[in-house]
């Protein structure tokens, strides 16, 4: 008997932006399961958004200012970061027209930098 077991393709990481929050789909949440907080950043020239998980020990170390750290909530099927000020900055900077339904963007985990990179060049 020669059995070949079905192995579904891994799903893409997708980040959805709405006027109030960023939502990371289930494939992306694996990188944030132990995150206590996150840092948010962007590269204007390359049209990229970055989400960096911070462990509890990184937060407690005291060298990352409190105003640069943001809460993340991880649920069974998604992760969510609520930060209207950051979304407003991103929307204006990258000329995004975000609705309550949200706009979806491809993301990838950058292992050597331990952060999620979201490409804002194309809405899915």
């Amino acid at each position: 008997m020669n059995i070949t077991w079905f192995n579904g393709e891994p799903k893409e990481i997708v980040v959805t932006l709405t006027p109030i929050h960023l939502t990371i789909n289930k494939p992306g949440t694996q990188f944030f399961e132990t995150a206590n907080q996150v840092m948010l950043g962007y590269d204007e020239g390359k049209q990229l958004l970055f989400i960096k998980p911070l462990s509890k020990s990184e937060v407690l170390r005291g060298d990352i200012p409190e105003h640069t750290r943001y809460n993340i909530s991880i649920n069974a099927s998604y992760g969510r970061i609520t930060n209207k000020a950051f979304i407003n900055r991103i929307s204006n900077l990258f000329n995004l027209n975000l609705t309550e339904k949200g706009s979806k963007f491809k993301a990838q985990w950058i292992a050597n930098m331990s952060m999620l990179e979201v490409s804002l060049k194309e809405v899915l």
Side-chain angles (χ1 to χ4, degrees):
M1 184 179 296
N2 187 9
I3 299 173
T4 301
W5 297 107
F6 175 75
N7 185 5
E9 294 293 319
K11 297 200 179 189
E12 290 183 349
I13 300 172
V14 175
V15 174
T16 304
L17 302 179
T18 71
I20 298 172
H21 55 259
L22 300 93
T23 303
I24 304 166
N25 70 346
K26 187 172 178 83
T29 60
Q30 66 180 316
F31 304 107
F32 296 89
E33 289 174 348
T34 60
N36 186 269
Q37 290 185 308
V38 297
M39 293 178 70
L40 300 170
Y42 58 87
D43 181 325
E44 186 176 359
K46 294 183 179 179
Q47 293 184 289
L48 297 172
L49 173 83
F50 298 97
I51 307 170
K52 181 170 182 59
L54 298 172
S55 67
K56 187 173 183 177
S57 64
E58 287 173 311
V59 170
L60 294 176
R61 243 183 6 222
D63 62 336
I64 302 171
E66 186 176 340
H67 67 276
T68 64
R69 302 184 320 246
Y70 304 98
N71 293 327
I72 183 169
S73 58
I74 302 295
N75 297 307
S77 60
Y78 64 91
R80 180 160 291 158
I81 304 159
T82 302
N83 190 314
K84 190 173 181 177
F86 182 73
I87 296 292
N88 284 339
R89 167 83 54 90
I90 294 301
S91 296
N92 292 332
L93 195 61
F94 297 107
N95 202 21
L96 301 174
N97 185 19
L98 301 175
T99 64
E100 293 299 319
K101 183 179 175 187
S103 298
K104 297 179 184 302
F105 300 91
K106 278 188 185 180
Q108 65 176 344
W109 181 252
I110 308 300
N112 65 341
M113 298 178 75
S114 297
M115 67 177 136
L116 191 64
E117 177 186 274
V118 184
S119 175
L120 300 175
K121 292 177 184 173
E122 180 183 354
V123 178
L124 297 179

